[in-house]
Amino acid sequence: GGAVITSMSSSGSFAAEVSSSEVVITDESGSVVSSIAVGEEAVVQWAKDADELWIVDSGELYLVGSSGGWVKTEADPSADGVPAGLAALVQ
């Protein structure tokens, strides 16, 4: 397995912990709000101004957020708000 990386959302209300096969999102109390299966090479990054997590997995871009019920939804890499570094990873 890969290294476990934990990062906080912009509001600090949520944390994402990435392991080799999943992203686990927890709230301030440490309760799991979502667990999302990802590939070993997946890259995740919180949006700058929202509790939304961008995921690049197997050349596809996804967005997961509290407003969408933490469901992994395919996103358009050319859409406004996509971090440039992540858009570059989408094939």
PDB file of all heavy atoms in Angstrom, residues 41-75:
ATOM      1  N   GLU A  41      -3.025   5.040  -8.051  1.00  0.00           N
ATOM      2  CA  GLU A  41      -2.367   6.253  -8.543  1.00  0.00           C
ATOM      3  C   GLU A  41      -3.250   7.495  -8.421  1.00  0.00           C
ATOM      4  O   GLU A  41      -2.934   8.542  -8.968  1.00  0.00           O
ATOM      5  CB  GLU A  41      -1.984   6.062 -10.018  1.00  0.00           C
ATOM      6  CG  GLU A  41      -1.095   4.854 -10.271  1.00  0.00           C
ATOM      7  CD  GLU A  41       0.257   4.967  -9.587  1.00  0.00           C
ATOM      8  OE1 GLU A  41       0.862   6.047  -9.645  1.00  0.00           O
ATOM      9  OE2 GLU A  41       0.707   3.972  -8.986  1.00  0.00           O
ATOM     10  N   ALA A  42      -4.386   7.385  -7.743  1.00  0.00           N
ATOM     11  CA  ALA A  42      -5.322   8.506  -7.657  1.00  0.00           C
ATOM     12  C   ALA A  42      -4.683   9.708  -6.965  1.00  0.00           C
ATOM     13  O   ALA A  42      -3.875   9.562  -6.055  1.00  0.00           O
ATOM     14  CB  ALA A  42      -6.579   8.091  -6.915  1.00  0.00           C
ATOM     15  N   VAL A  43      -5.069  10.906  -7.429  1.00  0.00           N
ATOM     16  CA  VAL A  43      -4.619  12.161  -6.836  1.00  0.00           C
ATOM     17  C   VAL A  43      -5.854  12.895  -6.348  1.00  0.00           C
ATOM     18  O   VAL A  43      -6.850  12.979  -7.065  1.00  0.00           O
ATOM     19  CB  VAL A  43      -3.876  13.023  -7.884  1.00  0.00           C
ATOM     20  CG1 VAL A  43      -3.487  14.373  -7.290  1.00  0.00           C
ATOM     21  CG2 VAL A  43      -2.655  12.291  -8.413  1.00  0.00           C
ATOM     22  N   VAL A  44      -5.811  13.408  -5.119  1.00  0.00           N
ATOM     23  CA  VAL A  44      -6.960  14.147  -4.580  1.00  0.00           C
ATOM     24  C   VAL A  44      -6.516  15.520  -4.108  1.00  0.00           C
ATOM     25  O   VAL A  44      -5.375  15.705  -3.692  1.00  0.00           O
ATOM     26  CB  VAL A  44      -7.651  13.391  -3.423  1.00  0.00           C
ATOM     27  CG1 VAL A  44      -8.109  12.011  -3.861  1.00  0.00           C
ATOM     28  CG2 VAL A  44      -6.759  13.294  -2.215  1.00  0.00           C
ATOM     29  N   GLN A  45      -7.429  16.486  -4.210  1.00  0.00           N
ATOM     30  CA  GLN A  45      -7.145  17.844  -3.759  1.00  0.00           C
ATOM     31  C   GLN A  45      -8.448  18.516  -3.395  1.00  0.00           C
ATOM     32  O   GLN A  45      -9.416  18.474  -4.154  1.00  0.00           O
ATOM     33  CB  GLN A  45      -6.450  18.625  -4.885  1.00  0.00           C
ATOM     34  CG  GLN A  45      -6.102  20.050  -4.507  1.00  0.00           C
ATOM     35  CD  GLN A  45      -5.399  20.782  -5.647  1.00  0.00           C
ATOM     36  OE1 GLN A  45      -4.680  20.180  -6.426  1.00  0.00           O
ATOM     37  NE2 GLN A  45      -5.622  22.075  -5.728  1.00  0.00           N
ATOM     38  N   TRP A  46      -8.472  19.150  -2.214  1.00  0.00           N
ATOM     39  CA  TRP A  46      -9.661  19.899  -1.816  1.00  0.00           C
ATOM     40  C   TRP A  46      -9.792  21.143  -2.684  1.00  0.00           C
ATOM     41  O   TRP A  46      -8.791  21.769  -3.038  1.00  0.00           O
ATOM     42  CB  TRP A  46      -9.568  20.319  -0.350  1.00  0.00           C
ATOM     43  CG  TRP A  46      -9.808  19.207   0.612  1.00  0.00           C
ATOM     44  CD1 TRP A  46      -8.871  18.549   1.346  1.00  0.00           C
ATOM     45  CD2 TRP A  46     -11.064  18.602   0.957  1.00  0.00           C
ATOM     46  NE1 TRP A  46      -9.461  17.585   2.124  1.00  0.00           N
ATOM     47  CE2 TRP A  46     -10.803  17.597   1.903  1.00  0.00           C
ATOM     48  CE3 TRP A  46     -12.382  18.826   0.545  1.00  0.00           C
ATOM     49  CZ2 TRP A  46     -11.815  16.807   2.449  1.00  0.00           C
ATOM     50  CZ3 TRP A  46     -13.387  18.038   1.087  1.00  0.00           C
ATOM     51  CH2 TRP A  46     -13.104  17.047   2.029  1.00  0.00           C
ATOM     52  N   ALA A  47     -11.021  21.526  -3.002  1.00  0.00           N
ATOM     53  CA  ALA A  47     -11.282  22.792  -3.681  1.00  0.00           C
ATOM     54  C   ALA A  47     -10.864  23.924  -2.750  1.00  0.00           C
ATOM     55  O   ALA A  47     -10.922  23.788  -1.526  1.00  0.00           O
ATOM     56  CB  ALA A  47     -12.763  22.906  -4.030  1.00  0.00           C
ATOM     57  N   LYS A  48     -10.442  25.061  -3.330  1.00  0.00           N
ATOM     58  CA  LYS A  48      -9.948  26.170  -2.516  1.00  0.00           C
ATOM     59  C   LYS A  48     -11.035  26.804  -1.671  1.00  0.00           C
ATOM     60  O   LYS A  48     -10.772  27.307  -0.587  1.00  0.00           O
ATOM     61  CB  LYS A  48      -9.352  27.253  -3.417  1.00  0.00           C
ATOM     62  CG  LYS A  48      -7.960  26.941  -3.910  1.00  0.00           C
ATOM     63  CD  LYS A  48      -7.326  28.219  -4.409  1.00  0.00           C
ATOM     64  CE  LYS A  48      -6.542  28.084  -5.654  1.00  0.00           C
ATOM     65  NZ  LYS A  48      -6.964  28.074  -6.932  1.00  0.00           N
ATOM     66  N   ASP A  49     -12.258  26.852  -2.184  1.00  0.00           N
ATOM     67  CA  ASP A  49     -13.291  27.661  -1.545  1.00  0.00           C
ATOM     68  C   ASP A  49     -14.575  26.898  -1.223  1.00  0.00           C
ATOM     69  O   ASP A  49     -15.621  27.490  -1.040  1.00  0.00           O
ATOM     70  CB  ASP A  49     -13.627  28.853  -2.447  1.00  0.00           C
ATOM     71  CG  ASP A  49     -13.969  28.405  -3.870  1.00  0.00           C
ATOM     72  OD1 ASP A  49     -14.004  27.178  -4.124  1.00  0.00           O
ATOM     73  OD2 ASP A  49     -14.216  29.266  -4.727  1.00  0.00           O
ATOM     74  N   ALA A  50     -14.479  25.564  -1.186  1.00  0.00           N
ATOM     75  CA  ALA A  50     -15.683  24.778  -0.911  1.00  0.00           C
ATOM     76  C   ALA A  50     -15.285  23.448  -0.277  1.00  0.00           C
ATOM     77  O   ALA A  50     -14.140  23.021  -0.415  1.00  0.00           O
ATOM     78  CB  ALA A  50     -16.462  24.525  -2.197  1.00  0.00           C
ATOM     79  N   ASP A  51     -16.245  22.822   0.396  1.00  0.00           N
ATOM     80  CA  ASP A  51     -15.996  21.483   0.939  1.00  0.00           C
ATOM     81  C   ASP A  51     -16.251  20.463  -0.162  1.00  0.00           C
ATOM     82  O   ASP A  51     -17.191  19.675  -0.117  1.00  0.00           O
ATOM     83  CB  ASP A  51     -16.892  21.227   2.152  1.00  0.00           C
ATOM     84  CG  ASP A  51     -16.436  22.035   3.366  1.00  0.00           C
ATOM     85  OD1 ASP A  51     -15.233  22.326   3.463  1.00  0.00           O
ATOM     86  OD2 ASP A  51     -17.288  22.366   4.197  1.00  0.00           O
ATOM     87  N   GLU A  52     -15.395  20.536  -1.177  1.00  0.00           N
ATOM     88  CA  GLU A  52     -15.486  19.628  -2.311  1.00  0.00           C
ATOM     89  C   GLU A  52     -14.098  19.080  -2.588  1.00  0.00           C
ATOM     90  O   GLU A  52     -13.110  19.809  -2.517  1.00  0.00           O
ATOM     91  CB  GLU A  52     -16.011  20.345  -3.556  1.00  0.00           C
ATOM     92  CG  GLU A  52     -17.440  20.834  -3.407  1.00  0.00           C
ATOM     93  CD  GLU A  52     -17.935  21.589  -4.633  1.00  0.00           C
ATOM     94  OE1 GLU A  52     -17.126  22.271  -5.290  1.00  0.00           O
ATOM     95  OE2 GLU A  52     -19.130  21.476  -4.922  1.00  0.00           O
ATOM     96  N   LEU A  53     -14.053  17.813  -2.908  1.00  0.00           N
ATOM     97  CA  LEU A  53     -12.784  17.136  -3.133  1.00  0.00           C
ATOM     98  C   LEU A  53     -12.693  16.715  -4.598  1.00  0.00           C
ATOM     99  O   LEU A  53     -13.582  16.031  -5.111  1.00  0.00           O
ATOM    100  CB  LEU A  53     -12.700  15.899  -2.228  1.00  0.00           C
ATOM    101  CG  LEU A  53     -11.353  15.175  -2.177  1.00  0.00           C
ATOM    102  CD1 LEU A  53     -10.297  16.045  -1.502  1.00  0.00           C
ATOM    103  CD2 LEU A  53     -11.489  13.858  -1.434  1.00  0.00           C
ATOM    104  N   TRP A  54     -11.635  17.174  -5.264  1.00  0.00           N
ATOM    105  CA  TRP A  54     -11.367  16.748  -6.636  1.00  0.00           C
ATOM    106  C   TRP A  54     -10.573  15.446  -6.581  1.00  0.00           C
ATOM    107  O   TRP A  54      -9.653  15.308  -5.776  1.00  0.00           O
ATOM    108  CB  TRP A  54     -10.532  17.803  -7.364  1.00  0.00           C
ATOM    109  CG  TRP A  54     -11.235  19.100  -7.554  1.00  0.00           C
ATOM    110  CD1 TRP A  54     -11.089  20.231  -6.797  1.00  0.00           C
ATOM    111  CD2 TRP A  54     -12.195  19.423  -8.565  1.00  0.00           C
ATOM    112  NE1 TRP A  54     -11.909  21.224  -7.279  1.00  0.00           N
ATOM    113  CE2 TRP A  54     -12.589  20.758  -8.362  1.00  0.00           C
ATOM    114  CE3 TRP A  54     -12.764  18.697  -9.622  1.00  0.00           C
ATOM    115  CZ2 TRP A  54     -13.523  21.399  -9.184  1.00  0.00           C
ATOM    116  CZ3 TRP A  54     -13.690  19.333 -10.430  1.00  0.00           C
ATOM    117  CH2 TRP A  54     -14.062  20.666 -10.208  1.00  0.00           C
ATOM    118  N   ILE A  55     -10.911  14.505  -7.454  1.00  0.00           N
ATOM    119  CA  ILE A  55     -10.196  13.231  -7.531  1.00  0.00           C
ATOM    120  C   ILE A  55      -9.848  12.962  -8.984  1.00  0.00           C
ATOM    121  O   ILE A  55     -10.728  13.010  -9.850  1.00  0.00           O
ATOM    122  CB  ILE A  55     -11.066  12.062  -7.005  1.00  0.00           C
ATOM    123  CG1 ILE A  55     -11.480  12.298  -5.551  1.00  0.00           C
ATOM    124  CG2 ILE A  55     -10.313  10.729  -7.142  1.00  0.00           C
ATOM    125  CD1 ILE A  55     -12.483  11.276  -5.025  1.00  0.00           C
ATOM    126  N   VAL A  56      -8.578  12.714  -9.261  1.00  0.00           N
ATOM    127  CA  VAL A  56      -8.172  12.243 -10.585  1.00  0.00           C
ATOM    128  C   VAL A  56      -7.811  10.779 -10.400  1.00  0.00           C
ATOM    129  O   VAL A  56      -6.930  10.438  -9.620  1.00  0.00           O
ATOM    130  CB  VAL A  56      -6.973  13.031 -11.157  1.00  0.00           C
ATOM    131  CG1 VAL A  56      -6.546  12.448 -12.495  1.00  0.00           C
ATOM    132  CG2 VAL A  56      -7.323  14.505 -11.304  1.00  0.00           C
ATOM    133  N   ASP A  57      -8.526   9.921 -11.115  1.00  0.00           N
ATOM    134  CA  ASP A  57      -8.344   8.478 -10.963  1.00  0.00           C
ATOM    135  C   ASP A  57      -8.426   7.831 -12.340  1.00  0.00           C
ATOM    136  O   ASP A  57      -9.414   7.999 -13.054  1.00  0.00           O
ATOM    137  CB  ASP A  57      -9.435   7.926 -10.036  1.00  0.00           C
ATOM    138  CG  ASP A  57      -9.199   6.472  -9.657  1.00  0.00           C
ATOM    139  OD1 ASP A  57      -8.084   5.963  -9.885  1.00  0.00           O
ATOM    140  OD2 ASP A  57     -10.136   5.854  -9.127  1.00  0.00           O
ATOM    141  N   SER A  58      -7.370   7.142 -12.731  1.00  0.00           N
ATOM    142  CA  SER A  58      -7.317   6.439 -14.022  1.00  0.00           C
ATOM    143  C   SER A  58      -7.631   7.369 -15.198  1.00  0.00           C
ATOM    144  O   SER A  58      -8.350   7.006 -16.119  1.00  0.00           O
ATOM    145  CB  SER A  58      -8.286   5.253 -14.024  1.00  0.00           C
ATOM    146  OG  SER A  58      -7.978   4.367 -12.979  1.00  0.00           O
ATOM    147  N   GLY A  59      -7.096   8.598 -15.132  1.00  0.00           N
ATOM    148  CA  GLY A  59      -7.258   9.534 -16.229  1.00  0.00           C
ATOM    149  C   GLY A  59      -8.599  10.235 -16.284  1.00  0.00           C
ATOM    150  O   GLY A  59      -8.876  10.973 -17.217  1.00  0.00           O
ATOM    151  N   GLU A  60      -9.446  10.017 -15.272  1.00  0.00           N
ATOM    152  CA  GLU A  60     -10.762  10.665 -15.224  1.00  0.00           C
ATOM    153  C   GLU A  60     -10.810  11.612 -14.029  1.00  0.00           C
ATOM    154  O   GLU A  60     -10.190  11.356 -12.997  1.00  0.00           O
ATOM    155  CB  GLU A  60     -11.873   9.614 -15.067  1.00  0.00           C
ATOM    156  CG  GLU A  60     -11.978   8.632 -16.214  1.00  0.00           C
ATOM    157  CD  GLU A  60     -12.589   9.235 -17.462  1.00  0.00           C
ATOM    158  OE1 GLU A  60     -13.397  10.190 -17.342  1.00  0.00           O
ATOM    159  OE2 GLU A  60     -12.244   8.781 -18.562  1.00  0.00           O
ATOM    160  N   LEU A  61     -11.589  12.690 -14.175  1.00  0.00           N
ATOM    161  CA  LEU A  61     -11.738  13.668 -13.107  1.00  0.00           C
ATOM    162  C   LEU A  61     -13.099  13.506 -12.445  1.00  0.00           C
ATOM    163  O   LEU A  61     -14.120  13.384 -13.126  1.00  0.00           O
ATOM    164  CB  LEU A  61     -11.609  15.089 -13.671  1.00  0.00           C
ATOM    165  CG  LEU A  61     -11.751  16.236 -12.666  1.00  0.00           C
ATOM    166  CD1 LEU A  61     -10.579  16.238 -11.684  1.00  0.00           C
ATOM    167  CD2 LEU A  61     -11.830  17.568 -13.391  1.00  0.00           C
ATOM    168  N   TYR A  62     -13.104  13.518 -11.117  1.00  0.00           N
ATOM    169  CA  TYR A  62     -14.345  13.389 -10.344  1.00  0.00           C
ATOM    170  C   TYR A  62     -14.392  14.492  -9.308  1.00  0.00           C
ATOM    171  O   TYR A  62     -13.363  14.997  -8.866  1.00  0.00           O
ATOM    172  CB  TYR A  62     -14.408  12.037  -9.634  1.00  0.00           C
ATOM    173  CG  TYR A  62     -14.340  10.858 -10.562  1.00  0.00           C
ATOM    174  CD1 TYR A  62     -13.133  10.238 -10.847  1.00  0.00           C
ATOM    175  CD2 TYR A  62     -15.492  10.365 -11.174  1.00  0.00           C
ATOM    176  CE1 TYR A  62     -13.061   9.161 -11.717  1.00  0.00           C
ATOM    177  CE2 TYR A  62     -15.432   9.279 -12.040  1.00  0.00           C
ATOM    178  CZ  TYR A  62     -14.215   8.690 -12.313  1.00  0.00           C
ATOM    179  OH  TYR A  62     -14.159   7.627 -13.178  1.00  0.00           O
ATOM    180  N   LEU A  63     -15.601  14.826  -8.893  1.00  0.00           N
ATOM    181  CA  LEU A  63     -15.811  15.793  -7.829  1.00  0.00           C
ATOM    182  C   LEU A  63     -16.713  15.155  -6.779  1.00  0.00           C
ATOM    183  O   LEU A  63     -17.728  14.548  -7.115  1.00  0.00           O
ATOM    184  CB  LEU A  63     -16.464  17.070  -8.390  1.00  0.00           C
ATOM    185  CG  LEU A  63     -16.661  18.223  -7.405  1.00  0.00           C
ATOM    186  CD1 LEU A  63     -15.320  18.698  -6.842  1.00  0.00           C
ATOM    187  CD2 LEU A  63     -17.375  19.379  -8.091  1.00  0.00           C
ATOM    188  N   VAL A  64     -16.312  15.289  -5.526  1.00  0.00           N
ATOM    189  CA  VAL A  64     -17.082  14.756  -4.405  1.00  0.00           C
ATOM    190  C   VAL A  64     -17.304  15.913  -3.451  1.00  0.00           C
ATOM    191  O   VAL A  64     -16.361  16.615  -3.119  1.00  0.00           O
ATOM    192  CB  VAL A  64     -16.294  13.639  -3.683  1.00  0.00           C
ATOM    193  CG1 VAL A  64     -17.076  13.095  -2.513  1.00  0.00           C
ATOM    194  CG2 VAL A  64     -15.916  12.539  -4.649  1.00  0.00           C
ATOM    195  N   GLY A  65     -18.555  16.129  -3.019  1.00  0.00           N
ATOM    196  CA  GLY A  65     -18.793  17.249  -2.118  1.00  0.00           C
ATOM    197  C   GLY A  65     -19.988  17.050  -1.229  1.00  0.00           C
ATOM    198  O   GLY A  65     -20.852  16.206  -1.491  1.00  0.00           O
ATOM    199  N   SER A  66     -20.027  17.858  -0.169  1.00  0.00           N
ATOM    200  CA  SER A  66     -21.126  17.743   0.785  1.00  0.00           C
ATOM    201  C   SER A  66     -22.457  18.067   0.126  1.00  0.00           C
ATOM    202  O   SER A  66     -23.480  17.473   0.449  1.00  0.00           O
ATOM    203  CB  SER A  66     -20.890  18.656   1.986  1.00  0.00           C
ATOM    204  OG  SER A  66     -20.695  19.997   1.577  1.00  0.00           O
ATOM    205  N   SER A  67     -22.457  19.008  -0.843  1.00  0.00           N
ATOM    206  CA  SER A  67     -23.712  19.388  -1.497  1.00  0.00           C
ATOM    207  C   SER A  67     -24.274  18.251  -2.350  1.00  0.00           C
ATOM    208  O   SER A  67     -25.470  18.177  -2.573  1.00  0.00           O
ATOM    209  CB  SER A  67     -23.513  20.630  -2.360  1.00  0.00           C
ATOM    210  OG  SER A  67     -22.556  20.374  -3.370  1.00  0.00           O
ATOM    211  N   GLY A  68     -23.403  17.356  -2.816  1.00  0.00           N
ATOM    212  CA  GLY A  68     -23.857  16.244  -3.645  1.00  0.00           C
ATOM    213  C   GLY A  68     -23.985  14.944  -2.882  1.00  0.00           C
ATOM    214  O   GLY A  68     -24.097  13.879  -3.479  1.00  0.00           O
ATOM    215  N   GLY A  69     -23.952  15.024  -1.550  1.00  0.00           N
ATOM    216  CA  GLY A  69     -24.084  13.820  -0.741  1.00  0.00           C
ATOM    217  C   GLY A  69     -22.841  12.948  -0.753  1.00  0.00           C
ATOM    218  O   GLY A  69     -22.905  11.760  -0.493  1.00  0.00           O
ATOM    219  N   TRP A  70     -21.677  13.562  -1.067  1.00  0.00           N
ATOM    220  CA  TRP A  70     -20.397  12.845  -1.082  1.00  0.00           C
ATOM    221  C   TRP A  70     -20.385  11.694  -2.066  1.00  0.00           C
ATOM    222  O   TRP A  70     -19.807  10.642  -1.815  1.00  0.00           O
ATOM    223  CB  TRP A  70     -20.009  12.372   0.323  1.00  0.00           C
ATOM    224  CG  TRP A  70     -19.872  13.496   1.281  1.00  0.00           C
ATOM    225  CD1 TRP A  70     -20.753  13.830   2.263  1.00  0.00           C
ATOM    226  CD2 TRP A  70     -18.839  14.480   1.336  1.00  0.00           C
ATOM    227  NE1 TRP A  70     -20.323  14.949   2.922  1.00  0.00           N
ATOM    228  CE2 TRP A  70     -19.151  15.375   2.386  1.00  0.00           C
ATOM    229  CE3 TRP A  70     -17.676  14.695   0.602  1.00  0.00           C
ATOM    230  CZ2 TRP A  70     -18.343  16.453   2.718  1.00  0.00           C
ATOM    231  CZ3 TRP A  70     -16.880  15.771   0.937  1.00  0.00           C
ATOM    232  CH2 TRP A  70     -17.207  16.635   1.984  1.00  0.00           C
ATOM    233  N   VAL A  71     -21.046  11.876  -3.212  1.00  0.00           N
ATOM    234  CA  VAL A  71     -21.041  10.867  -4.266  1.00  0.00           C
ATOM    235  C   VAL A  71     -20.006  11.268  -5.311  1.00  0.00           C
ATOM    236  O   VAL A  71     -19.916  12.434  -5.699  1.00  0.00           O
ATOM    237  CB  VAL A  71     -22.444  10.761  -4.921  1.00  0.00           C
ATOM    238  CG1 VAL A  71     -22.418   9.807  -6.097  1.00  0.00           C
ATOM    239  CG2 VAL A  71     -23.468  10.310  -3.895  1.00  0.00           C
ATOM    240  N   LYS A  72     -19.212  10.300  -5.763  1.00  0.00           N
ATOM    241  CA  LYS A  72     -18.183  10.559  -6.777  1.00  0.00           C
ATOM    242  C   LYS A  72     -18.868  10.805  -8.117  1.00  0.00           C
ATOM    243  O   LYS A  72     -19.484   9.904  -8.674  1.00  0.00           O
ATOM    244  CB  LYS A  72     -17.225   9.362  -6.846  1.00  0.00           C
ATOM    245  CG  LYS A  72     -16.009   9.583  -7.733  1.00  0.00           C
ATOM    246  CD  LYS A  72     -14.944   8.530  -7.464  1.00  0.00           C
ATOM    247  CE  LYS A  72     -14.921   7.468  -8.522  1.00  0.00           C
ATOM    248  NZ  LYS A  72     -13.779   6.569  -8.438  1.00  0.00           N
ATOM    249  N   THR A  73     -18.778  12.032  -8.620  1.00  0.00           N
ATOM    250  CA  THR A  73     -19.446  12.428  -9.851  1.00  0.00           C
ATOM    251  C   THR A  73     -18.395  12.831 -10.878  1.00  0.00           C
ATOM    252  O   THR A  73     -17.472  13.586 -10.563  1.00  0.00           O
ATOM    253  CB  THR A  73     -20.364  13.642  -9.585  1.00  0.00           C
ATOM    254  OG1 THR A  73     -21.231  13.326  -8.503  1.00  0.00           O
ATOM    255  CG2 THR A  73     -21.180  13.992 -10.803  1.00  0.00           C
ATOM    256  N   GLU A  74     -18.531  12.337 -12.111  1.00  0.00           N
ATOM    257  CA  GLU A  74     -17.578  12.714 -13.146  1.00  0.00           C
ATOM    258  C   GLU A  74     -17.646  14.203 -13.403  1.00  0.00           C
ATOM    259  O   GLU A  74     -18.718  14.805 -13.400  1.00  0.00           O
ATOM    260  CB  GLU A  74     -17.878  11.960 -14.446  1.00  0.00           C
ATOM    261  CG  GLU A  74     -16.880  10.858 -14.703  1.00  0.00           C
ATOM    262  CD  GLU A  74     -17.055  10.213 -16.062  1.00  0.00           C
ATOM    263  OE1 GLU A  74     -17.812   9.240 -16.146  1.00  0.00           O
ATOM    264  OE2 GLU A  74     -16.427  10.694 -17.016  1.00  0.00           O
ATOM    265  N   ALA A  75     -16.493  14.837 -13.607  1.00  0.00           N
ATOM    266  CA  ALA A  75     -16.424  16.269 -13.836  1.00  0.00           C
ATOM    267  C   ALA A  75     -15.674  16.541 -15.135  1.00  0.00           C
ATOM    268  O   ALA A  75     -14.857  15.736 -15.591  1.00  0.00           O
ATOM    269  CB  ALA A  75     -15.719  16.949 -12.668  1.00  0.00           C
TER     270      ALA A  75
END
